[in-house]
Amino acid sequence: MNKSIETVGQNLVEILTEYLKNNWADSPSSKQTITPATNMVTELQLDSFQVMEFMLEVEDHFDIVIDLESLSDIQTITDLASFVIAAQPE
Amino acid sequence: MSPTQKNHKLPVKVTGYKNLVEVLEYAAQGETGYNFYDGRGHLSTVLSYSELRDDAMVLAQRLIRLGCERGARVGIIAETDPMFHRFFFACQYAGLIPVALPAGIQLGAHGAYVGQVRRMLKSCGASVVVAPATHSKFMEEAVQGLDLLMAGTQGDFDALPVADVEFEPLGEDEPAYLQYTSGSTSFPRGVEITQKTVLNNLMEIARYGLKLTAADRFVSWLPFYHDMGLVGFILVPLIGQLSVDYLGSRTFAMRPRLWLKLLSDNGGTISSAPTFGYALCARRLRPSDVESYDLSKWRAACVGAERINPEPLQEFADILRASGFDEKAFVACYGMAECVLATSFAPLDRGLAVDVVDRVLMAETGEARPSNGNTVSTSEYVDCGKLLPGFEFLILDDNGVELENRHCGNIYLKGPSVMRGYYRDDKATSAVLTDDGWLNTGDIGYRIDNHLVITSRSKDVIIIKGRNIWPYDLEVLAQRTGGVKLGGVAAFSVTGSSLEEQAVLVVETREKDPASRQHIIEEVSRSIHAHFGINVLIDLTPRGTLPRTSSGKLSRSQSKQDYLARKTLEGVERSAAKAGEKQSA
């Protein structure tokens, strides 16, 4: 399965938007419009438990295992998209 | 592979030890030990106490051969991994001091994490550092330029030659470990706990707090760089010769239901969490899960580490009643790393006892008077029980005068479980420990006879989701932002709408331009989020308006009061304005 970074980025935007809407409807981060360029750290300010729950959804959606240490270098949705593509089996 | 079970012959023995080596040697005669479960909840490693003893002794010989001097510090990145136990006990045999280092890495926080580990290593003057393979990249960056004997993974150390010397394990008055109490970026404080001190608290927890028997089994997802994880779920089970089942902290965060599944599958009897852990779990439960669990053996569900909020705990109990969970299993605890772990336990088999008091009277006079039919507004606080027998406590007002029953004040503790001090930091030590051994906990509470009720944890430390954050560190970060004056920031926490702690920064600025003001707010919150992974509320105030003491020191508690008053006033004005709009319409 060979997906472009744009497609994966768009998938991630949808997963995150849905996750925030379903779980944190009252929080300011759920009201922001998320794009592939959105910085999850500085703009959305997700807390560590939200990050983990979101990663779980990402793992389930793409059927991958995320090595959590790599998250330390991920800031934007596009960063995460490149990571997801690299983690997918050939 | 199957997990360790219970001891059939070895009697429970919680006293009569001189050091942790003796505790391990005794437990190693039985059948129990530590069991590690992976991210999907499958058993991945079994480390019995006897295997741990054997592994630790070999590793100790390697560390001695490497050239570690007695008392040298060994930094261990404390991932939930058997490596931690092996190195921790190898240090005990070899006469070295283990130091648990944080392992949790936040999104986008690569640089902040490396910096934090590096400062801790420098603060304790570590000679050796070990990390799990997952963290070796960060470790290598953190140790650059430091004068170390070795930094590596378990595999690197296993390749070292073995010495053949008689062990001289750490003695009664030597340290058992150092523990950093916060994610403090500027000034890491390493709590120094001696063997005698840790053994005392372990015995008291086992005998009086939890009343351990050979039928008990522990389950935990708490990190080992936190006192509840390290002491509560490595050392307490060890001194009771009991088995433990571990889930990684991040596994819990992703799949909290695995915690309950493990308790159910293995018949766990003791497991602890801060309030937020129970709340997170309850939020993620599905009705079908509830029917599949059997939590009837869970007899001590300890709650501590941050202010205990009874409401989400009650929800947790309500949802899981169908799984056989008994709300009487909740045990409110109070403690801190400076006292090893625990200082008080609520009575077992009672559940939470909530003290409902008059909120207005409490705010005005500090008196916690039980509410009655005429009380307008109430506050609820959880009774944290009697102190463990070795402790004495005092509740003092700000002038050091002892307060009577049901009056809030500063909690002071004394006893054989109190730390020696912060490692190599006399200044920080003398700020909290008096010459005659009283520890100023920084926590506020009141007594009901010999029971202790905590009303706010650490008037200075901000506790968010179980993490301790020193306001000073937030203030320093904020001051690095353009437009913010040195000394013009006050950090504290307030209780948010869902009764969770919320960090607040009041920042002085001369800036009038709305865009520049917004820029300051964004920059400060971005920087704090990057370093601590928390969200802060930022309130800008004109220069020179933060309250100071007569000696010119910033008063955080007064800043907090002013802030709350300002917010209340704004709320009143807003509703008045709205009412006005309606009238004119």
Side-chain angles (χ1 to χ4, degrees), chain B residues 61-75:
Chain B
Q61 294 287 14
R62 297 189 202 278
L63 291 171
I64 292 169
R65 178 78 185 270
L66 181 66
C68 292
E69 284 174 18
R70 188 169 188 81
R73 274 74 58 210
V74 176

Side-chain angles (χ1 to χ4, degrees), chain B residues 508-520:
Chain B
E508 287 186 346
T509 179
R510 244 185 224 138
E511 219 34 91
K512 293 259 164 45
D513 173 43
S516 309
R517 288 171 69 91
Q518 188 56 32
H519 181 72
I520 292 175

Side-chain angles (χ1 to χ4, degrees), chain B residues 276-290:
Chain B
F276 83 83
Y278 293 93
L280 182 75
C281 201
R283 195 166 65 76
R284 298 281 293 277
L285 278 170
R286 299 179 195 140
S288 59
D289 300 328
V290 174

Side-chain angles (χ1 to χ4, degrees), chain B residues 285-349:
Chain B
L285 278 170
R286 299 179 195 140
S288 59
D289 300 328
V290 174
E291 289 162 23
S292 69
Y293 301 141
D294 174 7
L295 300 176
S296 59
K297 294 205 175 76
W298 191 1
R299 70 173 186 88
C302 303
V303 198
E306 55 187 11
R307 191 184 140 193
I308 300 169
N309 177 6
E311 203 178 318
L313 297 173
Q314 189 57 52
E315 275 170 38
F316 179 91
D318 290 342
I319 296 171
L320 289 162
R321 193 165 295 120
S323 308
F325 180 78
D326 183 350
E327 64 195 79
K328 289 204 182 92
F330 282 129
V331 183
C333 308
Y334 170 58
M336 65 213 69
E338 283 84 347
C339 295
V340 183
L341 170 64
T343 58
S344 85
F345 276 83
L348 297 171
D349 307 313

Side-chain angles (χ1 to χ4, degrees), chain A residues 23-24 40-42 45-49 51-53 55-56 59-60 68-69 71-75, chain B residues 105-110 134-135 137-138 250 253-255 276 280 283-284 465 525-526 529 535:
Chain A
N23 295 280
W24 306 99
M40 294 179 279
V41 182
T42 59
Q45 305 209 343
L46 300 178
D47 76 27
S48 55
F49 284 85
V51 169
M52 288 302 155
E53 291 185 345
M55 291 308 149
L56 177 67
E59 282 195 346
D60 288 349
L68 297 166
E69 283 65 38
L71 298 180
S72 69
D73 291 315
I74 291 172
Q75 303 242 355
Chain B
I105 306 173
Q106 317 285 332
L107 191 67
H110 186 144
T134 48
H135 288 65
K137 181 179 74 175
F138 303 105
R250 284 174 298 182
M254 286 173 97
R255 299 181 174 84
F276 83 83
L280 182 75
R283 195 166 65 76
R284 298 281 293 277
K465 295 199 167 148
S525 62
R526 191 187 57 76
H529 191 274
N535 298 324

Side-chain angles (χ1 to χ4, degrees), chain B residues 532-554:
Chain B
F532 293 97
I534 62 163
N535 298 324
V536 287
L537 281 174
I538 296 180
D539 190 49
L540 298 184
T541 181
R543 279 276 175 93
T545 53
L546 279 174
R548 282 161 207 287
T549 64
S550 48
S551 62
K553 209 174 141 231
L554 185 78

